[in-house]
Amino acid sequence: MQIGNLQVHNFLALGPMAGVTDWAFRTICAQLGAGVTVTEMVSSRALVYKDKKSAALLRKNEGSLCGAQIFGNDPDIMAEGARLALEISGCDFLDINMGCPMPKIANNGDGCGLMRTPELAEQIVKAVTKAVDVPVTVKCRLGWDKGSINVLDFAKRMEDSGAALLTVHGRTRSMLYSGVADWDMIAKVKQELSVPVIANGDIVDGQSAVRCRNWTKADGFMIGRATFGNPWVFDEIKAYFEGREFTPPTTEERIASAIGLVSAIVDLKGEDRGIREARGRAAHFIRGMRGSAEIRAALNSSTSLQEFKSILENYI
């Protein structure tokens, strides 16, 4: 599959998620079968104003095609933010977030808020595609709420404005992450567009990925919350498509990945901040294990990387 001038051989994509898809987690997912990864969303305005914390989110991972995702609602600032994001990261493509449903983003006219102003969204895509020389992609939802589902018109506008690919989450902004993703609407978008369409929403394993492919005829799949503590989901889906048996990770492998993730976060952010941020992340990896509640409690009181490692290693 082509995204602009990029050849994509594996379009199982890790969905960008704030506070989750940092460089450390993206690297693990790429190692375990994600063919495409996208950074956490970064404010275009923050990049233009030289915010160092925002720039740090754009570190490109190896092992997959990697896109830099930005958000904002001013065409000129988005264009300059896109140029800076690529200059900082060296990423393979630029993704525009038009799907974030969180109130502090969407209510400000950013993220999914742009689906209420499609003419402005068109201006943004045109400005960004003119400013950069890599493919520009767009991630959106079905619309603001069930009374204003406009994804068919919106997606066509994005394609006509220069977007090389659309990722569609099959929920409205008002649904957040509740209810059931509407794959019928994703199928309709796929029928309308000539650029690739990626399906997002309720793809959690091999069976659901195959059902989504048959249902939507989408060109690829983006997996988000199903990766929490389970980066092996990419290999599981690949195995299902390839007709081979998938071997679930052992307890030792789950613990090793948790330790690897926490160590990388500490390297990135320092021990004090890294440990605080990593507690919840590591808890996902031990979910469902015998005695996981006790382990979580111990991790939540740990204050050093060595203590963190010891708790997990002693569990094995």
Side-chain angles (χ1 to χ4, degrees), residues 13-22 25-26 28-29 32 40 169 177 200 203-205 222-234 236 249 254 257-258 261 278-289:
L14 170 64
M17 294 173 284
V20 177
T21 52
D22 53 20
F25 190 64
R26 282 184 276 116
I28 290 174
C29 289
L32 292 172
E40 299 172 76
H169 186 140
Y177 299 98
N200 180 217
I203 303 166
V204 299
D205 54 22
M222 181 169 279
I223 300 95
R225 290 169 298 151
T227 65
F228 289 3
N230 185 29
W232 298 272
V233 67
F234 296 102
E236 179 186 355
R254 290 167 69 94
S257 284
L261 177 63
R279 288 167 180 159
R281 306 276 295 280
H284 288 299
F285 284 82
I286 61 174
R287 185 176 52 212
M289 292 183 184

Side-chain angles (χ1 to χ4, degrees), residues 1-4 152 155-166 186-198 217-219:
M1 185 179 71
Q2 291 286 133
I3 309 178
L152 293 179
K156 186 61 178 171
R157 285 172 181 261
M158 298 304 97
E159 178 183 45
D160 292 344
S161 299
L165 174 145
L166 267 291
I186 297 177
K188 291 178 181 178
V189 173
K190 171 58 186 170
Q191 291 172 356
E192 288 290 319
L193 302 190
S194 57
V195 297
V197 173
I198 304 306
K217 303 299 187 292
D219 299 284

Side-chain angles (χ1 to χ4, degrees), residues 1-2 16 27 33 51-52 76 110 119-120 128 138 140 143 168 175 185 204 206 211 218 220 234 238 268 287 291 310:
M1 185 179 71
Q2 291 286 133
T27 298
D51 179 65
K52 292 182 179 180
D76 292 334
D110 301 328
E119 294 83 5
L120 176 58
V128 170
V138 171
C140 66
V168 181
M175 293 174 69
M185 288 303 299
V204 299
R211 282 192 287 107
F234 296 102
K238 286 178 68 176
L268 283 171
R287 185 176 52 212
S310 295

Side-chain angles (χ1 to χ4, degrees), residues 45-57:
R45 195 173 297 275
L47 290 174
V48 171
Y49 291 162
K50 310 299 182 184
D51 179 65
K52 292 182 179 180
K53 291 182 179 179
S54 296
L57 298 175

Side-chain angles (χ1 to χ4, degrees), residues 106-180:
N107 290 345
N108 194 44
D110 301 328
C112 200
L114 284 167
M115 296 196 73
R116 305 176 85 178
T117 55
E119 294 83 5
L120 176 58
E122 286 179 298
Q123 294 175 32
I124 288 172
V125 173
K126 289 176 181 177
V128 170
T129 54
K130 186 177 180 180
V132 302
D133 58 2
V134 299
V136 175
T137 63
V138 171
K139 188 172 190 289
C140 66
R141 287 193 167 223
L142 302 184
W144 187 258
D145 54 33
K146 66 179 181 180
S148 57
I149 292 176
N150 63 337
V151 67
L152 293 179
D153 173 70
F154 188 85
K156 186 61 178 171
R157 285 172 181 261
M158 298 304 97
E159 178 183 45
D160 292 344
S161 299
L165 174 145
L166 267 291
T167 298
V168 181
H169 186 140
R171 291 179 171 86
T172 63
R173 189 235 33 113
S174 63
M175 293 174 69
L176 297 180
Y177 299 98
S178 65
V180 177

